[in-house]
Amino acid sequence: MPSKPQTPLVSAVKEDLATSNGPEKLNISPEDVLALTEPSTDYLCEVDDNIYRIDFIGFKIRDMDSGNNLFEVSKPQRDPNAPDFHTNTGRYVRYRFSPDFLRLKTIGATVEFTVGDRPVNNFRMIERHFFKKTTEIVRF
């Protein structure tokens, strides 16, 4: 059974990943992600690669002309007494829209996240959207 496509994830600072992971880890650059022509079959980094503890906690898509929310999801509050675990839970969001979505003139997205104790300098997020054989790059 083939893997379902996943959203590519790239570390905020490539040099820190190369230092912390050592030569045995695959080093994915922003240029590598920008060169993708289709969804990756798996995540491009491991959960443990998230040395800044960036945690995406909310995501919303809206029609900018009407102001209507088209999709919204947020991560449930975590029990502080629960044990830590590293899984891909919460790293993937799937949404499906009707064909009317493609007729909208302007859509907006809000991404909410938290960061751990270590400062993130020069953060760069690359978001790719694939529809049939075309690609759209969202620059932040």
Side-chain angles (χ1 to χ4, degrees):
M1 175 180 205
S3 303
K4 68 180 175 184
Q6 305 294 323
T7 303
L9 300 176
V10 178
S11 171
V13 179
K14 175 180 156 183
E15 292 79 15
D16 282 347
L17 266 181
T19 302
S20 63
N21 290 335
E24 70 281 352
K25 285 280 197 161
L26 183 61
N27 192 9
I28 304 293
S29 73
E31 291 72 26
D32 294 330
V33 174
L34 292 171
L36 292 173
T37 59
E38 60 187 35
S40 61
T41 57
D42 205 353
Y43 291 103
L44 300 179
C45 63
E46 301 296 326
V47 172
D48 291 338
D49 293 339
N50 185 4
I51 60 177
Y52 297 99
R53 293 181 29 228
I54 297 170
D55 189 15
F56 290 87
I57 59 172
F59 180 67
K60 176 172 57 173
I61 298 176
R62 65 197 174 285
D63 174 6
M64 296 299 289
D65 294 330
S66 70
N68 290 335
N69 279 350
L70 305 171
F71 178 84
E72 188 168 3
V73 65
S74 58
K75 190 174 186 177
Q77 290 271 331
R78 189 177 169 285
D79 179 354
N81 299 320
D84 284 339
F85 61 95
H86 295 285
T87 69
N88 284 330
T89 304
R91 292 182 76 188
Y92 178 78
V93 175
R94 169 171 257 155
Y95 41 87
R96 294 178 189 250
F97 297 107
S98 73
D100 292 337
F101 179 80
L102 298 175
R103 292 184 192 91
L104 297 174
K105 295 203 185 295
T106 308
I107 60 167
T110 301
V111 179
E112 185 178 358
F113 56 93
T114 61
V115 178
D117 298 331
R118 187 175 178 181
V120 179
N121 298 312
N122 301 315
F123 179 77
R124 180 178 182 187
M125 186 168 93
I126 300 169
E127 185 172 336
R128 303 293 305 266
H129 296 270
F130 299 93
F131 178 72
K132 296 187 179 182
K133 294 292 181 186
T134 63
T135 306
E136 181 65 32
I137 301 171
V138 179
R139 298 191 193 288
F140 294 93

